[in-house]
Amino acid sequence: MKHTVVLIPGDGIGPEVADATRRILTTAGAEIAWIERYAGVAALDRGADTVLPEDTMHAILEHGVALKGPCTTPIGGGFSSINVALRKKLNLYGAVRPVRSLEGVRTRYDDVDLIVVRENTEGLYAGIENVITEGVITSLKVATEEACRRISRFGFEYARSRGRRRVTVFHKANIMKLSDGLFLRCAHEEHERNYSDLEYEEQIIDAGCMRIVQDPSRFDVILCENLYGDVISDLCAGLVGGLGVTPGANFGDEHAVFEAVHGSAPDIAGQDLANPLALLMSGVMMLRHLAETRSDEACTVVADRIRDAYNACLLRGERTRDLGGELGTRGFADAVCRELDRMPVPA
Ligand code: ATP
């Protein structure tokens, strides 16, 4: 069964890690027909008049699944985030960022296994900012009951479907009594009504952050609104080896876009320095999604093979520089492909 997937290389380190990921998926035997489309600076460079061209949107709408590299967001001015625009336009309201210790990557912790579930469409990411008068700015945090309930249900469902036991909601409802208060109330009510088989707890985000670094193993699924989810994801990435090893997925009811947590990393772009693992692991999440939604067991087999191959490489010390190794982006992809070639072909 061949699946059509839209590949958006992105910009910065995006094209390098996307190329490595595609090569590894192909070597592993993933039955995927790739449709390449562009977004961000890469789209402008190819003559598009917008950073999110219509044909890119159409391709995702038509095929339902995309694997996406990062797109640069200018700081303090310029165009708005393409990543955020894509999530809003496709209504990809649930972001999932699994954070797991990797056997071949030594960090302070060796038992991290948690999932950050982030609301993806509102909060301060609504991007509604106003100049009230010179030197006075307001930035509006949006919380709607519909989105708060939807992400709560999504988080509980995801937790349940993955055999997780506890959902912790991070909030700051002591200060943002109305907006975070609404988020908290919706999560609490959804839990009471439909998910009481799962353990449920609430943590004020500052204390929650402290507890994460003290003992990440006590967390299972962390549910939060948009901005908290963004920050917590990077914090948690730091527990297991950094942004080079933290994958992600954005889900809506109709579409799914898989992308690493990291940004376009302009400081290392084009130098064969980026770790492709985060996007590769996002690709593995995508294969598991295809297996589930299209009942294609072959995708699970390929996903497992890729996971085993990169773990074997990491354990042998074949790593990129962010993980203390010597390999470049291409070198690491070569190593994973060699490992896949050595592995027995499944019957
Ligand atoms: P954004 O605002 O788009 O989320 P960011 O500010 O979080 O971006 P990143 O682009 O994610 O920034 O990069 C943060 C740091 O992590 C940079 O120093 C970058 O070099 C490093 N980094 C990010 N991704 C990778 C990767 N795949 N491999 C190695 N280093 C990376």
Side-chain angles (χ1 to χ4, degrees):
M1 192 191 298
K2 203 155 190 156
H3 304 283
T4 304
V5 170
V6 182
L7 181 68
I8 303 170
D11 48 57
I13 59 170
E16 299 163 73
V17 292
D19 185 60
T21 299
R22 170 159 45 177
R23 197 147 61 84
I24 293 167
L25 262 71
T26 304
T27 305
E31 293 265 335
I32 290 175
W34 299 99
I35 296 194
E36 203 161 311
R37 290 288 181 274
Y38 300 95
V41 178
L44 298 179
D45 287 349
R46 280 172 174 76
D49 55 3
T50 159
V51 285
L52 199 48
E54 280 294 304
D55 67 334
T56 302
M57 288 302 296
H58 275 145
I60 307 175
L61 287 168
E62 184 179 348
H63 300 292
V65 177
L67 182 64
K68 175 183 162 297
C71 293
T72 302
T73 307
I75 295 175
F79 56 80
S80 325
S81 166
I82 296 116
N83 313 311
V84 172
L86 195 65
R87 292 169 200 160
K88 281 190 190 157
K89 280 192 171 184
L90 293 169
N91 210 4
L92 303 170
Y93 57 85
V96 171
R97 278 116 181 246
V99 183
R100 268 187 213 107
S101 299
L102 291 159
E103 228 188 308
V105 179
R106 288 181 69 105
T107 63
R108 282 193 189 84
Y109 310 92
D110 51 19
D111 52 358
V112 183
D113 181 10
L114 58 86
I115 300 173
V116 178
V117 174
R118 164 187 179 187
E119 203 289 323
N120 238 356
T121 62
E122 53 182 35
L124 279 164
Y125 276 69
I128 306 170
E129 295 194 306
N130 287 299
V131 181
I132 302 301
T133 183
E134 208 191 320
V136 181
I137 308 289
T138 58
S139 189
L140 223 73
K141 174 160 170 160
V142 178
T144 63
E145 175 151 1
E146 189 192 347
C148 294
R149 281 202 189 283
R150 185 175 61 178
I151 192 63
S152 299
R153 285 196 292 268
F154 175 87
F156 290 125
E157 288 288 338
Y158 198 87
R160 195 188 264 163
S161 72
R162 294 294 181 284
R164 299 289 177 146
R165 301 210 9 247
R166 187 192 304 135
V167 175
T168 307
V169 181
F170 275 26
H171 67 91
K172 191 77 185 173
N174 50 336
I175 301 298
M176 279 156 281
K177 294 178 194 290
L178 293 182
S179 53
D180 280 19
L182 176 63
F183 192 92
L184 210 51
R185 178 168 64 77
C186 291
H188 179 74
E189 285 175 4
E190 289 299 326
H191 175 256
E192 293 274 289
R193 278 181 206 158
N194 300 312
Y195 302 98
S196 53
D197 53 310
L198 296 166
E199 288 172 42
Y200 173 82
E201 65 172 353
E202 297 167 351
Q203 296 256 326
I204 294 181
I205 187 160
D206 38 355
C209 286
M210 178 195 68
R211 294 200 175 101
I212 289 178
V213 294
Q214 280 180 330
D215 180 12
S217 68
R218 72 177 295 286
F219 290 94
D220 196 356
V221 174
I222 297 175
L223 172 65
C224 36
E225 63 86 85
N226 211 338
L227 181 62
Y228 304 156
D230 181 52
V231 177
I232 292 290
S233 302
D234 277 31
L235 170 75
C236 291
L239 306 172
V240 296
L243 290 169
V245 296
T246 316
N250 304 293
F251 294 104
D253 292 330
E254 311 281 331
H255 314 285
V257 175
F258 296 81
E259 63 180 337
V261 169
H262 64 70
S264 60
D267 53 333
I268 56 167
Q271 299 168 53
D272 194 38
L273 286 175
N275 188 348
L277 249 182
L279 189 64
L280 178 62
M281 292 161 100
S282 309
V284 168
M285 289 177 78
M286 180 186 82
L287 289 169
R288 298 199 190 285
H289 171 75
L290 290 171
E292 262 174 48
T293 55
R294 303 188 186 172
S295 309
D296 183 3
E297 190 46 34
C299 286
T300 306
V301 175
V302 176
D304 289 348
R305 274 166 64 76
I306 295 173
R307 181 206 52 205
D308 293 348
Y310 68 65
N311 277 330
C313 292
L314 294 173
L315 275 168
R316 266 201 305 272
E318 291 176 315
R319 305 184 193 119
T320 45
R321 294 198 188 159
D322 55 312
L323 302 179
E326 299 280 313
L327 296 176
T329 314
R330 283 193 294 273
F332 181 72
D334 291 343
V336 177
C337 288
R338 275 196 305 273
E339 182 63 28
L340 284 163
D341 286 339
R342 275 197 293 267
M343 287 163 72
V345 181

